[in-house]
């Protein structure tokens, strides 16, 4: 991996070069929360390093899956088949380690099975991922408990660390073009350079922070433990007590991939839409005629845990959770998934 | 890359009323859907959504195929408003076929309830097409009343096929009914085949499946030889959306037919 430093004075120049070729999304801060923002040329006229602070924050509120597996999109039509429009290549500049791990879940389901989702794969191929370090993990973060680090383990196309306001960029083969399109703005870093040493120090501090927040390790066989607890209604009831079934935890979750296909009549034909769905929804598993294997909420609550921590692990060798903490931050009932898992 | 959500047009070329609420639709798809007995197809009723159904005709003739469908809700009611000449959409085939190679040389004991005979008909026709490969075929079928029996005009023909043995029951009889009265398990009191090696295939309403399965186990059938059609909610049909999850399985991908051995550890599999 080639490593470079982009001095703070060159950041906006590089971004404007990127804008000529790509749709560029960056994290920005709005009322203390981080959100994705489609960069526009006029954003660069402001203070040159205005977008740097948000790069140091944790993941955006919106799960990164929204870019490839949109909340709602047309996937078919009838009787004429549907042909999607081709979109401009994109760069997600500042996704986090937990979110790139979450994309692996979608890759497995939508991109690697016998049947593949051509829409997901097209968007995935069309998007360069720059993974930014999290120098300051927050209380809601627990990637460390899921075997992840608060900086890229999986490089994507490039990794970004903010060091003293300058950007340190590591590019893989697939991300080389990002530096090449304006190589005059970058200085290559040699092993042992002070920037890399500072970056590694920051990374270490972030890990220590996470380990202090999340001290209690879980049952090492979480998959087995969840499966064994599945029919213990009292256990799940205790944790589900304050849930108001708003589905915020599922809609915000970067790994949840359940969806529903629905049709809408249009002129002489039909449009088919694929929309995110929620396994907490009462009718989710209901069959024709009305029978429902998970009619009681507590079964649907337990099912979510069994899906993420047992079934997915058994089928795909990984948990369908990355510790991003979105579910607990969005929960009106203050349910903390860590607490549930901690009791297994 | 092919789009797994895109249906192809199929024309309804004929319909046949089996019972007051079950109808067989003969469909001619624009391109052949290469299904094998046990696999299913997602049917689009334009403007009213999609639902999974198993072809009920033989996989040895696929330029047209039949679906025998009970009117139960939104999509099926809209389908019943369509007529010959109308167009629907179809995607598939999806799911696993019956492993017919494992059935060879054996007795096959088929138990159906209500509209559950529809998927079993595709299996039955595939078996009789190569009847020399199998020992004997038993078909036990129960319906609510004599009027609710599907394939009334076909059953007498099937009974004439050598090596085939058919018996029927109804829950509620009328004066014309000459056969057994009772739920379908009343036809299973003495099972005329070797329980240890025979194959059982069951499809029907969940409660019927539960009791039939128990009766087969009590009679000595091996859990790995009992094939059960599991009905779950489905949306994508292609192993992605997760609606059809049943314990460790996705019924659209691993099923819809699963053996008792596969599902026996699932809490309450027949809902
Ligand atoms: C593999 C397989 C093979 C099958 N083969 C056959 C067959 O050969 N013949 C046959 O007759 N049947 C068959 N079925 C059953 C058939 O698929 C159902 O009867 C059919 O889906 C009913 O559709 P419907 O829209 O008419 O029913 P509905 O009851 O209206 O709807 C069924 C679906 O809509 C959802 N739904 C209903 N109301 C709501 C609501 N208010 N909000 C949200 N969701 C709702 C349900 O959860 C369910 O997904 C098969 C099923 C499977 C899984
Ligand atoms: S379950 Fe919660 S913590 Fe885990 S990936 Fe989903 S939103 Fe993040
Ligand atoms: S969970 Fe870890 S990787 Fe994700 S935002 Fe928090 S610190 Fe960063
Ligand atoms: S129906 Fe979508 S995964 Fe089975």
């Amino acid at each position: 991996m080639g490593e470079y430093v982009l001095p703070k004075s060159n950041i906006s120049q590089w971004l404007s070069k990127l804008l000529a070729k790509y749709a560029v999304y960056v994290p920005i801060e709005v009322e203390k929360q981080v959100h994705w923002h489609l960069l526009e040329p006029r954003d660069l006229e402001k203070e040159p390093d205005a977008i740097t602070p948000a790069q140091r924050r944790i993941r955006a509120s919106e799960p990164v899956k929204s870019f490839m597996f949109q909340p709602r999109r047309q996937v078919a039509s009838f009787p004429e088949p549907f042909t999607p429009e081709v979109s401009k290549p994109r760069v997600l500049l500042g996704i986090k380690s937990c979110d790139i791990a979450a994309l692996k879940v979608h890759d497995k389901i939508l991109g690697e099975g016998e049947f593949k989702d051509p829409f997901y794969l097209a968007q995935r191929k069309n998007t360069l991922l720059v993974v930014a370090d999290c120098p300051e993990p927050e209380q809601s973060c627990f990637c460390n408990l899921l075997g992840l680090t608060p900086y890229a383990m999986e490089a994507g196309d490039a990794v970004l660390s903010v060091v003293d306001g300058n950007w340190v960029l590591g590019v893989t083969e697939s991300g080389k073009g990002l530096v090449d399109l304006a190589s005059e703005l970058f200085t290559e870093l040699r092993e042992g350079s002070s920037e890399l040493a500072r970056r590694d120090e920051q990374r270490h501090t972030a890990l220590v922070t996470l380990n202090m927040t999340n001290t209690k390790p879980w049952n090492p066989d979480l998959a087995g433990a969840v499966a064994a607890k599945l029919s213990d209604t009292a256990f799940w009831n205790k944790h589900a007590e304050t849930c108001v079934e708003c589905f915020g935890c599922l809609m915000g979750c970067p790994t949840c991939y359940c969806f529903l296909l629905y049709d809408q009549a249009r002129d002489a034909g039909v449009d088919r839409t694929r929309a995110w769905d929620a396994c907490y929804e009462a009718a989710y598993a209901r069959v024709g005629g009305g029978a429902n294997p998970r009619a009681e909420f507590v079964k649907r609550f337990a099912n979510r845990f069994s899906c993420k921590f047992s079934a997915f692990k058994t089928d795909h060798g990984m948990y369908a959770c990355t510790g991003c903490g979105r579910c607990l931050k969005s929960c009106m009932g203050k349910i903390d998934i860590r607490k549930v898992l901690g009791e297994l | 890359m092919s789009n797994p959500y895109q249906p192809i047009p199929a024309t309804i070329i004929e319909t046949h009323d089996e019972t007051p609420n079950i109808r067989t639709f003969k469909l001619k798809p624009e391109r052949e859907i290469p299904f094998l007995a046990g696999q299913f197809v997602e049917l689009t009723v334009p403007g009213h959504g999609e639902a999974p159904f198993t072809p009920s005709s033989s996989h040895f003739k696929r330029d047209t195929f039949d679906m025998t469908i009970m009117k139960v809700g939104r999509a099926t009611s809209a389908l019943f408003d369509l007529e010959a000449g109308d167009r629907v959409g179809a995607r598939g085939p999806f799911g696993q076929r019956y492993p017919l190679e494992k059935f060879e040389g054996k007795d096959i004991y088929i138990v159906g309830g209500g509209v559950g005979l529809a998927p079993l008909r595709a299996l039955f026709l595939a078996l009789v097409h190569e009847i020399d490969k199998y020992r004997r075929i038993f078909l036990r079928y129960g319906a609510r009343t004599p009027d609710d029996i599907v394939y009334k005009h076909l059953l007498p023909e099937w009974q004439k096929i050598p090596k085939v043995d058919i018996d029927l029951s109804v829950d509620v009889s009328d004066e014309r009914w000459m056969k057994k009265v009772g739920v379908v398990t009343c036809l299973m009191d003495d099972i005329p085949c070797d329980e240890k090696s025979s194959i059982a295939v069951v499809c029907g309403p969940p409660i019927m499946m539960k009791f039939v399965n128990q009766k087969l186990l009590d009679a000595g059938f091996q859990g790995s030889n009992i094939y059960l059609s599991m009905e779950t909610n489905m949306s994508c049909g292609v192993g992605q959306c997760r609606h059809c999850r049943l314990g460790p399985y996705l019924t659209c991908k691993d099923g819809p037919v699963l053996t008792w051995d596969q599902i026996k550890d699932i809490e309450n599999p027949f809902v």
Side-chain angles (χ1 to χ4, degrees), chain A residues 283 286 288-289, chain B residues 51-54 68-70 72-76 231-233 256:
Chain A
R286 188 158 76 202
Chain B
F53 301 98
T54 312
T68 300
I69 294 175
M70 182 157 82
V72 295
R74 206 164 69 105
T76 48
E231 187 185 340
T232 55
N233 180 304

Side-chain angles (χ1 to χ4, degrees), chain A residues 314-327:
Chain A
T314 312
D315 292 351
H316 301 288
M318 64 184 283
Y319 296 121
C321 171
T322 64
C324 75
R326 288 183 179 90
C327 53

Side-chain angles (χ1 to χ4, degrees), chain B residues 1-255:
Chain B
M1 182 181 296
S2 69
N3 176 354
Y5 318 122
Q6 177 66 50
I8 58 166
T11 308
I12 301 175
I13 53 174
E14 205 179 290
T15 66
H16 174 82
D17 282 337
E18 304 288 350
T19 78
N21 64 349
I22 301 175
R23 186 174 293 168
T24 297
F25 297 82
K26 189 177 283 301
L27 302 175
K28 185 167 178 52
E30 209 165 67
R31 281 195 306 280
E32 184 180 299
I33 295 182
F35 73 90
L36 292 168
Q39 290 186 298
F40 70 95
V41 167
E42 283 280 355
L43 192 72
T44 300
V45 188
H48 301 274
E50 247 191 339
F53 301 98
T54 312
S56 59
S57 51
S58 169
H59 64 221
F60 289 102
K61 181 188 171 303
R62 292 190 295 219
D63 56 327
T64 67
F65 63 94
D66 294 352
M67 304 255 227
T68 300
I69 294 175
M70 182 157 82
K71 184 173 170 174
V72 295
R74 206 164 69 105
T76 48
S77 300
L79 180 65
F80 271 58
D81 291 337
L82 301 182
E83 315 173 335
D86 286 338
R87 208 151 48 154
V88 292
R91 309 187 276 137
F94 300 134
Q96 304 299 319
R97 61 178 178 85
Y98 285 104
L100 295 182
E101 63 285 359
K102 291 191 188 161
F103 296 9
E104 288 178 17
K106 295 182 181 162
D107 280 340
I108 298 150
Y109 191 78
I110 302 173
V111 191
V115 75
L117 190 55
L120 296 174
R121 178 177 167 232
L123 170 69
F124 180 82
L125 295 175
L127 294 174
V128 299
H129 187 87
E130 298 177 307
I131 191 86
D132 294 345
K133 287 190 177 171
Y134 311 99
R135 194 155 169 261
R136 288 173 301 173
I137 301 169
F138 297 90
L139 176 62
R140 301 291 177 257
Y141 175 57
R144 215 163 45 83
T145 72
D147 281 343
D148 292 311
I149 291 178
V150 298
Y151 310 135
K152 293 182 199 65
H153 57 305
L154 298 173
L155 286 163
E157 298 303 311
W158 293 353
Q159 180 65 80
K160 289 182 204 149
I161 303 170
K163 304 212 279 187
V164 170
D165 178 293
I166 298 181
D167 203 358
L168 310 177
S169 74
V170 294
D171 303 354
V172 184
S173 70
D174 62 17
E175 60 288 351
R176 292 165 298 152
W177 187 250
M178 309 299 285
K179 295 181 189 280
K180 280 229 172 82
V181 178
V183 292
V184 70
T185 41
C186 77
L187 301 173
M188 300 173 65
D189 284 335
D190 45 342
I191 296 175
C193 44
D194 169 39
E195 297 82 0
K196 287 268 168 303
S197 66
S198 300
I199 301 290
V201 187
V202 192
C203 184
I207 187 78
M208 168 264 182
M209 302 250 289
K210 182 173 169 167
F211 286 110
V212 169
N213 180 60
Q214 193 53 53
K215 194 114 180 171
L216 289 166
L217 291 172
D218 292 345
F221 273 79
Q222 308 285 312
S224 57
N225 284 339
I226 304 177
Y227 292 83
L228 303 153
S229 291
M230 303 308 292
E231 187 185 340
T232 55
N233 180 304
M234 285 187 185
S235 183
C236 71
V238 294
Q240 298 171 345
C241 76
R242 223 163 167 84
H243 273 267
C244 66
R245 180 169 182 225
L246 179 71
Y249 306 104
L250 294 175
T251 58
C252 72
K253 181 165 148 263
D254 307 310

Side-chain angles (χ1 to χ4, degrees), chain A residues 75-82 109-110 115-119 121 230-231 257-261 263-265 270 272 274 277 283-289 291-294 299 303 306-307 311-312 315, chain B residues 1-10 44-50 72-73 87-91 93-94 96 206 231-233 235-245 247-248 253 267-268 271:
Chain A
V75 292
S77 57
F78 185 81
E80 316 78 41
F82 170 66
I109 299 302
L110 300 170
F115 296 95
K116 297 178 178 50
D117 183 322
F119 309 99
L121 285 175
L230 206 55
S231 49
Y257 58 84
C258 283
F259 66 82
L260 183 75
L261 297 173
D263 289 0
Q264 281 167 307
V270 173
R272 174 161 298 162
R274 184 196 60 199
D277 203 357
Y284 181 87
R286 188 158 76 202
V287 297
N292 190 344
R294 293 193 289 277
K299 287 206 176 137
N303 176 67
S306 132
C307 177
F312 209 85
D315 292 351
Chain B
M1 182 181 296
S2 69
N3 176 354
Y5 318 122
Q6 177 66 50
I8 58 166
T44 300
V45 188
H48 301 274
E50 247 191 339
V72 295
R87 208 151 48 154
V88 292
R91 309 187 276 137
F94 300 134
Q96 304 299 319
E231 187 185 340
T232 55
N233 180 304
S235 183
C236 71
V238 294
Q240 298 171 345
C241 76
R242 223 163 167 84
H243 273 267
C244 66
R245 180 169 182 225
K253 181 165 148 263
E267 190 192 349
N268 208 1
V271 178

